[in-house]
């Protein structure tokens, strides 16, 4: 994976303004599960890593779209569509149309986009529901697309063992939730100033 020339993709991300500043994790994301679900085919791992990064930016751009000024909406929407087309094109080289992978892909993308939309709708009345459970659901669903990676690896490995997938999914949820908490707590002053009432802010003000 490290030998791949990622510069054209990075240039596209930079031009779109969506380079997140932490691409290295997602370029190699599938490898982090290799101890549990080993894949020896390096070309397949490279393809998954590429698709993972494109899928991530597809979701991030939708999120950005809802926050962006009106004049950027068309550019962002088209760029997001380009990333979606790219990751589907790449993954179709590995998974045939009948593969169970695609039902998981549709499920996780639907959950991610639903959570992004619900997060924006919640800003209209941020104090309506400040429960910890709602915070957990929103944070984990928003990042649920990342759970597709262990599923994708399990399908390639020929072993969709329910217990392994369940553990990997739960671990991914907890990591994503911890990341969201850290992000919200770190940015609380900025969010409060910009009147972006995150869950922790709403919880604190509701006490």
């Amino acid at each position: 994976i490290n030998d791949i020339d990622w510069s054209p993709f990075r240039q596209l991300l930079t031009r779109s303004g969506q380079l997140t500043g932490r691409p290295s994790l997602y370029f190699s994301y599938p490898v982090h599960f290799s101890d549990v679900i080993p894949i020896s085919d390096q070309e397949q791992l490279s393809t998954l890593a590429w698709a993972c990064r494109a899928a991530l930016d597809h979701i991030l751009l939708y999120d950005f779209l809802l926050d962006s000024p009106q004049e950027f909406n068309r550019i962002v929407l088209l760029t997001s569509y380009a990333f979606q087309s790219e990751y589907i094109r790449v993954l179709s080289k590995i998974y045939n149309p009948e593969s169970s992978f695609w039902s998981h892909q549709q499920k996780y993308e639907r959950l991610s986009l639903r959570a992004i939309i619900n997060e924006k709708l919640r800003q209209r009345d941020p104090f309506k529901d400040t429960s910890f459970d709602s915070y957990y659901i929103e944070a984990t669903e928003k990042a649920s697309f990342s759970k597709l990676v262990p599923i994708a690896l399990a399908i390639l490995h020929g072993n969709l063992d329910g217990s392994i997938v369940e553990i990997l999914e739960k671990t991914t949820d907890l990591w994503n939730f911890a990341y969201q908490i850290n992000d919200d707590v770190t940015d609380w002053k900025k969010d409060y100033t910009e009147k972006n009432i995150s869950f922790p802010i709403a919880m604190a003000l509701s006490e």
Side-chain angles (χ1 to χ4, degrees):
I1 289 176
N2 292 330
D3 294 333
I4 297 176
D5 179 15
W6 296 101
S7 55
F9 203 43
R10 284 195 177 112
Q11 289 170 8
L12 177 59
L13 289 171
T14 302
R15 286 199 300 273
S16 72
Q18 291 307 300
L19 188 59
T20 63
R22 51 184 186 279
S24 58
L25 169 64
Y26 296 100
F27 286 148
S28 60
Y29 192 54
V31 180
H32 296 282
F33 299 93
S34 59
D35 287 344
V36 180
I37 308 176
I39 300 295
S40 58
D41 191 323
Q42 293 301 306
E43 184 176 351
Q44 286 185 336
L45 277 176
S46 299
T47 300
L48 278 175
W50 179 282
C52 177
R53 187 68 178 104
L56 171 73
D57 276 274
H58 161 58
I59 296 295
L60 289 178
L61 281 163
Y62 266 118
D63 190 24
F64 179 80
L65 176 65
L66 295 178
D67 289 332
S68 64
Q70 188 65 34
E71 61 266 24
F72 291 116
N73 283 1
R74 292 179 182 177
I75 297 173
V76 173
L77 183 61
L78 289 173
T79 308
S80 178
Y81 173 76
F83 280 120
Q84 182 185 43
S85 298
E86 174 65 11
Y87 87 74
I88 290 177
R89 181 190 68 80
V90 170
L91 291 175
S92 65
K93 295 179 180 180
I94 301 178
Y95 304 100
N96 63 50
E98 291 75 32
S99 172
S100 61
F101 167 82
W102 296 109
S103 63
H104 293 290
Q105 180 264 335
Q106 292 171 2
K107 171 187 174 182
Y108 290 131
E109 181 165 10
R110 184 172 63 251
L111 287 173
S112 294
L113 296 178
R114 183 179 72 179
I116 290 171
I117 293 171
N118 286 340
E119 180 184 39
K120 307 310 175 187
L121 293 175
R122 182 176 57 79
Q123 290 298 318
R124 298 178 180 179
D125 188 2
F127 302 102
K128 182 178 180 180
D129 182 0
T130 59
S131 68
F132 189 83
D133 287 344
S134 295
Y135 187 23
Y136 179 83
I137 291 171
E138 181 180 289
T140 55
E141 282 195 355
K142 186 176 178 181
S144 63
F145 208 58
S146 60
K147 289 186 285 189
L148 187 61
V149 173
I151 291 289
L153 292 172
I155 291 173
L156 282 181
H157 192 53
N159 180 20
L160 265 179
D161 186 296
S163 60
I164 292 178
V165 171
E166 184 179 352
I167 291 171
L168 291 173
E169 286 187 323
K170 185 64 175 180
T171 303
T172 305
D173 276 344
L174 292 172
W175 190 94
N176 287 328
F177 188 41
Y179 182 90
Q180 185 65 55
I181 292 173
N182 179 72
D183 186 62
D184 287 339
V185 172
T186 302
D187 294 340
W188 77 268
K189 289 184 179 179
K190 177 176 177 290
D191 289 338
Y192 185 75
T193 301
E194 296 178 356
K195 297 182 180 181
N196 176 26
I197 307 300
S198 63
F199 259 108
I201 293 175
M203 288 176 180
L205 295 177
S206 298
E207 289 296 328

